[in-house]
Structures are given as C-alpha cells and as structure tokens.
Amino acid sequence: MKQHNCQNNDRLAVKMRSTNMSKRLRIVLAKVGLDGHDRGIKVVARALRDAGMEVIYAGLWQTPESVVRTVADEDADWLGLSILSGAHMTLVPRIMTLLREAGLEDVGVIVGGIIPESDYPKLKELGVARVFGPGTPMDEIVRFLRQHPRSHSSAEGAGKE
Amino acid sequence: MSDSLLQLIDRYRNKDRRALSRLLTLAARGEHLSEILAAASVPQSKRIPVVTLTGSAGVGKSTLTGKLIELLRRKDKRVAVLACDPQSPLSGGALLGDRFRMPTTPDEGVFIRSLSSAGGRGAIAEHLPVLLKLLAGFGFDVILLETVGAGQGDTVVRDIADVVVFLVQPETGDDLQWEKAGLLEVCDIVVIHKSDLPGAEHAEAQLRSMLELSSGPIPVILRVSSKTGSGMEELWQAIERAADSEHVRRDAGRELLRQVQEFLSARFVQLEEDAALQQLVADWKAGEVDLNDAARRLVDLLLTAGANPRSSP
C-alpha cells in the first residue's frame, strides 16, 4: 500500500506541474501583403502546434501595422512571416521598424517562403533571427525556436521595455 | 512582490496596453493571480457586460464576433475580445485561429487575445475571471468571450458571463437534438446564424415549439446573417436588454464566489509541493477518504495556507 501511495504521489506531482500552464512558446504566424499562397504557413502552423507551442494564426493579407498590433496584443515570443511574393525587402524592414517603435525588439522574427539566398544576409542584418527556405524539415524550425528562448515572457523580463 | 511586477501593474493602471498584454499572459499561466486581481479594480458603478458567444465548431462564432466588433466600433464602444480555441491533448500545443476572422486594422478601441483551453474545462481557458477583470479594469465598454466549439453540456459559461449567446445553424439535426441541448436552458439569446441559408425559418420554428414546452424563461430567438448583416442590430439590442435585466443583477453575488474560487485555485497551485496536500490527494486517490471528507480537508488546508503573506490578496 505504501509503495502504491508513493507512486500516486509521483504521478500527482507530474500532473500538477503539467497543468500549471508552463511557459509555452507563443508564436504569431502571418502572411503580409498581396500573397495568397498559404499552404506552407499552414503546414508550419500544424508542426509547431504538434510540438506543443501556441500558434496564433493571423493568416493572409495582413499589413505590417496589423501584424505588429497582433504581436503586441497576443504578447507573443516570436513572429513568423511567410512571404512568397518577392516583396520581402519592402515588408520586412517596415515590420522590423514598427516592432522597434512599439518596444517589441525582444520579439524574435523568423521568415520563410521564397527568398533568394543573396537576401538572407540583408534580412539578418535587419534583425531577422533566421530565414527558412523551401524544403526545410519541420524539426529544424522547432529545434531553432526551442534553442533560442526569448527572455520577455517571464515575470522578470516583464517590466522592461 | 517583485519590482518588475509592481512596475507592470503601475503601467497597467496608467492604461499602457503592453502592460495589459503582459499581465494577461501572467494571469493565463496562473502566475501572481492575487496581486493581479487586486490591481484590476473596477468601479462598482460601471457595469461592463461580459457577452459569451458559444456553439458548436463551425457555427460562426469568430465571424459573428468580428461583425459585432465592427458594429460596436460604429457605436463608439471600446471592445475587448477573449477568443478560446482548444489545446491539443497530445502535445499541449494549440492552433489559435479565431482572430483570423476578425477585423485586422489596428484600432485603439479593439483588443483581441487568443487563449488556449485544455480539455474538460468547459470550453473556456483557465483563470478566465482574472483575465476578464483585467480587461474590465482597463476601460473597455464591452467584453466578448468566444468559447471553443462547444456542444451540449458546457453550461459553465453561464457563471462567467452576463449575457450568453448560443449560436445554432440551419440543418443541425432533427428537433430531438434541440431537446438535448443544455445550453438552450441557460442562454439568454439563441442566434440562428447563417440565416441566409435555406432552412433557417424551419430551424426557428422547431426551436420555438421546443422552447415553449419549457417551464423556465424563454430565451430571445433571432435569425442573424454575418454574410448579409441582417439581424445584427437586433442582436445588439437584445444583448443590451439582457445585460440590464433583473437576473444579471440578482447573480451579482456569483462574482464574489468566482473570486473566491480563483483564490482557492491559485493557492492550490502554490501549494503543489506541499506534503500535506500531496498526502491528502494520494489518500483520496487510494480510496482511503471519501470525496466529501477530502474536499472539506482540502478547503481547510488551502485556508490555513493563508498564513503565507504572498498568497493573501
């Protein structure tokens, strides 16, 4: 009986911890501008959900302004942009500026879609954490997000701007 | 209380939207609940109706919420939305896709937060009363709460909301399905959504004949189409009437009860490593104490833990 109880205790401890809404990654996924190809972003959304993250799917035809507002109101750790229209060198700089103006520079930004490799360094220079091209295994995105925790979502980081 | 939390609460009181957003995250995770509750004070004189939209998956809750936001903004009312979507029982992750169907233009008068909701919690996220308090204390005029696709038994929304709007759509099943729906007994308004589709009038007739057999108060029944906009204005008027009605005021004591429930669950989480609590739950699981005894002992335990100053409001 004693041993049985002990086992129950262990299980209880695990159960209580897992229901304690531990720090689950929150990521906003959005497509910006006039680009209707949303198959890729939906696959990524599903993969991140299956990896235990909270995915806020903002979907098609977002503006830089609306994306930044969504990131702020949802208190997201990450913003994932999918761009297949070729307009990334116009849209991404605008979004990075707006994020900074909103005091959201601690939010990580990743970009996916059709991006010429020659633009990767330019995007990185703008502050994009990583660009994922076509054919990226989903595990790679998940691993990247997990290995680069953002500081802002703890109570400690909560006060600083 | 840590400095950063104090600063955050200070900024929240000065209507800093980012601070509101951060506090919502902390509260949704169950962190610092009592401090946050204390910070979010709402003047008793101001009534901020909490309107719940519920109904099965695909019935149009997000779309209708989006249309209500537009209507309320035309009336110059500030709107906050909490949109719940289900959490995966396997990974704990969630795909929160409600705001996708809502207006996207940034607007100071609109705040939308997506929440994930674990299974078995009655179609809403945890710690919702604290989240609602935070939004009410920030100065929104109306709070819309969208539940996960809910079915027949999720009547817990009644305790949280001032007005419950239950959405159904044409071709939902035969009239026996209506007889089963527990939400019909607790809601204030039934919306037959997608009323531009054929069968809406028939659904209304079935619903009316069923509800007339009930002994309790009969909810308002409205046909609404988000597509054409028909019935929207009538819906808002019905919501306002329901928010002002007698039963909302009569149920005011429930708000106090809700706060007590939040305090108790916050303490339960704080005490998760407590040996006495673990022993009590283990004894109960092993069948050594019956449910009533265990519940009474748990309440005692949680109350005596009040000696810890961090957990007092």
Side-chain angles (χ1 to χ4, degrees):
Chain A
M1 197 66 219
K2 188 108 214 294
Q3 201 188 350
H4 180 69
N5 261 355
C6 179
Q7 215 179 8
N8 269 346
N9 270 349
D10 288 350
R11 225 176 276 153
L12 168 73
V14 171
K15 182 97 192 15
M16 286 169 101
R17 223 160 282 142
S18 66
T19 51
N20 190 9
M21 285 288 287
S22 52
K23 318 236 160 25
R24 214 159 263 141
L25 268 182
R26 280 171 75 82
I27 178 165
V28 170
L29 291 183
K31 289 194 65 80
V32 196
L34 293 174
D35 168 1
H37 300 279
D38 60 356
R39 185 69 206 143
I41 197 173
K42 281 177 172 159
V43 172
V44 173
R46 178 62 196 268
L48 299 184
R49 184 201 89 125
D50 289 348
M53 301 178 193
E54 290 189 359
V55 180
I56 297 118
Y57 183 71
L60 293 169
W61 305 310
Q62 299 292 306
T63 62
E65 287 77 8
S66 69
V67 165
V68 172
R69 173 47 65 84
T70 299
V71 169
D73 286 0
E74 297 286 358
D75 197 21
D77 307 289
W78 286 93
L79 167 62
L81 297 166
S82 160
I83 304 173
L84 290 83
S85 62
H88 50 276
M89 289 315 296
T90 312
L91 294 168
V92 175
R94 174 92 185 122
I95 289 169
M96 300 310 285
T97 307
L98 289 172
L99 282 173
R100 237 185 340 270
E101 283 172 11
L104 294 166
E105 54 275 274
D106 50 355
V107 173
V109 179
I110 55 174
V111 177
I114 306 295
I115 315 280
E117 270 185 36
S118 56
D119 285 341
Y120 283 24
K122 292 181 210 158
L123 290 173
K124 283 214 159 163
E125 210 160 290
L126 288 167
V128 170
R130 178 82 184 261
V131 182
F132 294 100
T136 306
M138 291 301 127
D139 286 353
E140 201 179 315
I141 306 178
V142 170
R143 217 175 317 122
F144 180 81
L145 294 175
R146 286 207 180 121
Q147 283 169 356
H148 296 80
R150 311 307 298 181
S151 60
H152 94 264
S153 289
S154 62
E156 287 65 44
K160 70 168 199 263
E161 234 356 326
Chain B
M1 208 189 292
S2 69
D3 277 356
S4 56
L5 184 64
L6 278 174
Q7 277 172 19
L8 204 52
I9 287 173
D10 214 43
R11 281 166 51 201
Y12 163 82
R13 287 196 168 128
N14 289 317
K15 307 287 177 236
D16 176 341
R17 204 170 154 121
R18 292 278 299 133
L20 167 68
S21 183
R22 292 265 163 103
L23 287 175
L24 285 170
T25 305
L26 294 178
R29 281 189 197 142
E31 290 173 28
H32 309 294
L33 287 177
S34 23
E35 292 93 333
I36 292 174
L37 253 184
S41 60
V42 187
Q44 278 294 329
S45 55
K46 196 175 177 208
R47 286 200 46 84
I48 298 142
V50 176
V51 182
T52 292
L53 290 101
T54 186
S56 60
V59 76
K61 295 179 293 299
S62 303
T63 305
L64 186 61
T65 303
K67 293 289 168 191
L68 272 174
I69 294 172
E70 288 170 7
L71 181 126
L72 289 167
R73 291 306 289 148
R74 284 198 297 275
K75 296 181 186 297
D76 216 21
K77 287 190 186 294
R78 292 162 51 83
V79 197
V81 178
L82 293 176
C84 303
D85 261 335
Q87 198 177 72
S88 156
L90 299 178
S91 70
L95 184 55
L96 310 173
D98 290 323
R99 65 181 304 142
F100 176 51
R101 298 177 206 285
M102 297 177 192
T104 56
T105 319
D107 175 351
E108 282 308 310
V110 180
F111 185 98
I112 304 170
R113 172 55 77 91
S114 317
L115 297 166
S116 77
S117 157
R121 294 198 185 271
I124 46 173
E126 280 185 276
H127 311 301
L128 206 57
V130 183
L131 306 183
L132 292 170
K133 260 264 147 61
L134 272 172
L135 292 169
F138 198 77
F140 290 101
D141 301 311
V142 184
I143 301 173
L144 303 177
L145 167 65
E146 183 191 332
T147 72
V148 306
Q152 299 165 325
D154 310 289
T155 49
V156 66
V157 291
R158 175 72 273 174
D159 289 342
I160 289 211
D162 298 309
V163 182
V164 177
V165 180
F166 179 39
L167 277 72
V168 299
Q169 56 185 338
E171 306 294 345
T172 303
D174 64 17
D175 47 358
L176 191 63
Q177 294 298 5
W178 305 127
E179 302 281 353
K180 290 196 268 183
L183 274 166
L184 279 175
E185 294 167 57
V186 298
C187 69
D188 304 290
I189 301 164
V190 184
V191 162
I192 297 161
H193 200 212
K194 312 186 190 179
S195 67
D196 50 294
L197 295 178
E201 284 171 46
H202 183 60
E204 183 181 350
Q206 276 183 340
L207 259 175
R208 279 194 194 284
S209 65
M210 194 284 280
L211 286 169
E212 273 158 17
L213 295 176
S214 87
S215 51
I218 295 176
V220 176
I221 302 173
L222 291 169
R223 271 182 278 147
V224 177
S225 167
S226 287
K227 195 172 178 181
T228 66
S230 89
M232 285 301 301
E233 186 59 44
E234 291 83 347
L235 172 59
W236 175 244
Q237 284 169 12
I239 289 172
E240 277 195 311
R241 270 198 307 277
D244 286 337
S245 76
E246 200 57 41
H247 85 88
V248 171
R249 264 172 263 131
R250 211 171 40 234
D251 289 351
R254 280 170 184 266
E255 199 177 320
L256 192 59
L257 181 64
R258 260 184 258 152
Q259 292 227 18
V260 173
Q261 287 169 336
E262 273 298 327
F263 280 132
L264 288 178
S265 34
R267 281 188 192 166
F268 189 76
V269 173
Q270 279 170 5
L271 285 179
E272 70 173 293
E273 305 291 345
D274 186 87
L277 178 67
Q278 297 253 352
Q279 190 56 49
L280 172 62
V281 181
D283 287 351
W284 172 62
K285 273 188 141 179
E288 284 165 16
V289 265
D290 74 30
L291 180 60
N292 279 331
D293 266 355
R296 245 175 253 128
R297 276 168 57 190
L298 177 61
V299 172
D300 283 347
L301 239 157
L302 295 175
L303 291 179
T304 46
N308 171 4
R310 258 198 68 219
S311 55
S312 61

